[in-house]
Each structure stands twice: as C-alpha cells, then as structure tokens.
Amino acid sequence: HLDDIRIYTDSANNALTISCVSTGHGIVTAEVDDGRRTRYAVIGGENVFVYLASEKLSLWDEFEPNLHTLKVTMNNEVIEIPFGMRKISSEGRKLLVNGNETFLRGKHDGLIFPMTGYAPTTVEEWLKVMKTAKAFGINHYRFHTCCPPEAAFTAADMLGIYMQPELPFWGTVKDEIDEEQQYLIDEGFRILKEFGNHPSFVMMSLGNELWGNKNVLSIILKSYKNFDNRHLYSDGSNN
C-alpha cells in the first residue's frame, strides 16, 4: 500500500519527483496522461523517485490552468492524482509564477455562507462561487483563520486561482509550545499532506494578526518549509 504521495514538479526538465511511503517492498508503475510507463522498486518506508515525461507537459497558471494526472499502480491498487506543472518563487518583493511576475488580485474569505450556514462541500458549488469571483478579476483567495475543503482546491485547480489557506488561529503565540499550539502545528502538517499536491495551493499563513513570541513562529515556519517547499509561507497575515 502507498500513502502520502507527494508530487514535486520540475518544469525546466519536464520531470516529476515523486515521494511516497510504502507499507512494504514492491514494484510501482507510474505514468502521466497515458504517457510513458516507468517501473520503480520501492521498500517499506519513505521512497523518492524521478519520472521523466515522454511529452512536454503544459504549464499551469491563472490564464491557462492546465491539469495533468499522475497514475501510480502497486499490486492491484491504482491511485490517480491531478497536478499542475508550475513553479512558485519570489524575487525581492515580487511574486513569480513560472518565472512571470504576478499581481495578486485577492479577496478575503472566512468561509462565511449565511444562506446555508456552512461552506460549500462539492466541486460544482465551488466552481459557481469561484467563477463569479474570477469574472470580477479575482485570481487569489486568502482564507481567514481557516482552510477550505478539498472541493475548493479542486475548483481552484480547474479555474486557475491562487489559494492561501491559514491555520485556524488568531491570538498570542506563547513562549512554550502547549497543547493548543501543538495542535495548530500538527494541523498545519495535516493541511500540507492532504492538499499539498493541488497546484492552486500556492501560499500558507500561520494565522491572522498573530502576536507574541516571534522565535516560536520562526521555528514553526522553518519546519513547514523543510517538510514541503512547494509553497510560499508567511508567519502570519496582518501581524
């Protein structure tokens, strides 16, 4: 069985670095968009291998949100993961998407939906919401002290919207990591593991208007960056 499959895209070399955890020894077959099939031997524990695409994979951004699918097979288990070829980086104060300077035309979203009392949970509902936002020029969602459901990331993947989930915290970062802060740290790792493959997952913030111990914030931030370098991170929104 394979778990925690993470896709690191390398558009310059038309390649994917695939990280996964296996419960035992076996042979894994990987292919993208019914292209080249490549076999890899895996061992129990963490594995990393590189997949070279047979054809040029188109890039993903707000203007052309091209999606591809990685199909991984081990024994009789088949796992399909949508992904986008994109590189998020910074140059001074500039945000770059695939090397192109990008201006964030964003909105605040606190998952407030008064007509239902809860956030949409289907892709179709989120497509309706986000298509409306995109029609007004929005290309970025900052989620206030919350992380949206999987359906929101999937819709954003399809429409080309840059997402910023946030830890559910608005308050003081204490000098010592207590039960509350440990929960928040663990929740951040769960967010990264659950949604990290979505190309729309561009940024992540540690919370809203945080104050207190900046050294603790820096330690948490560094742990996330070391765990998953596919995103840009902030130690807080409006700190």
Side-chain angles (χ1 to χ4, degrees), residues 28-176:
V28 168
T29 300
E31 64 180 292
V32 172
D33 298 344
D34 298 324
R36 172 187 296 153
R37 292 186 180 182
T38 308
R39 290 162 60 86
Y40 308 89
V42 298
I43 60 174
E46 187 172 348
N47 298 265
V48 177
F49 48 88
V50 176
Y51 176 92
L52 298 175
S54 56
E55 297 182 358
K56 184 66 176 177
L57 299 177
S58 51
L59 301 180
W60 182 95
D61 65 12
E62 65 175 291
F63 305 107
E64 296 186 43
N66 299 299
L67 292 173
H68 306 282
T69 301
L70 170 69
K71 183 162 75 172
V72 178
T73 305
M74 182 178 180
N75 298 327
N76 295 319
E77 180 181 37
V78 179
I79 303 172
E80 295 187 351
I81 304 173
F83 71 93
M85 294 292 288
R86 63 108 173 102
K87 180 181 179 181
I88 304 298
S89 59
S90 60
E91 186 178 280
R93 297 173 63 85
K94 296 179 181 179
L95 171 68
L96 306 179
V97 179
N98 300 325
N100 299 314
E101 184 177 349
T102 300
F103 185 77
L104 293 179
R105 307 178 301 279
K107 73 178 294 292
H108 161 293
D109 197 300
L111 296 181
I112 299 170
F113 291 85
M115 297 298 289
T116 59
Y118 59 89
T121 55
T122 67
V123 175
E124 291 73 19
E125 290 172 306
W126 276 104
L127 283 173
K128 180 180 179 182
V129 170
M130 289 182 168
K131 280 181 178 179
T132 302
K134 195 155 189 184
F136 282 88
I138 295 297
N139 69 351
H140 163 57
Y141 268 66
R142 175 250 167 158
F143 290 91
H144 189 301
T145 56
C146 58
C147 178
E150 179 94 44
F153 287 100
T154 299
D157 292 345
M158 298 166 67
L159 297 176
I161 291 179
Y162 307 131
M163 304 277 271
Q164 179 188 311
E166 197 166 271
L167 293 188
F169 186 56
W170 185 352
T172 302
V173 178
K174 300 162 190 170
D175 295 339
E176 296 183 3

Side-chain angles (χ1 to χ4, degrees), residues 174 176-186:
K174 300 162 190 170
E176 296 183 3
I177 296 177
D178 59 9
E179 185 177 3
E180 177 188 46
Q181 286 188 181
Q182 189 59 55
Y183 168 82
L184 291 166
I185 294 170
D186 294 342

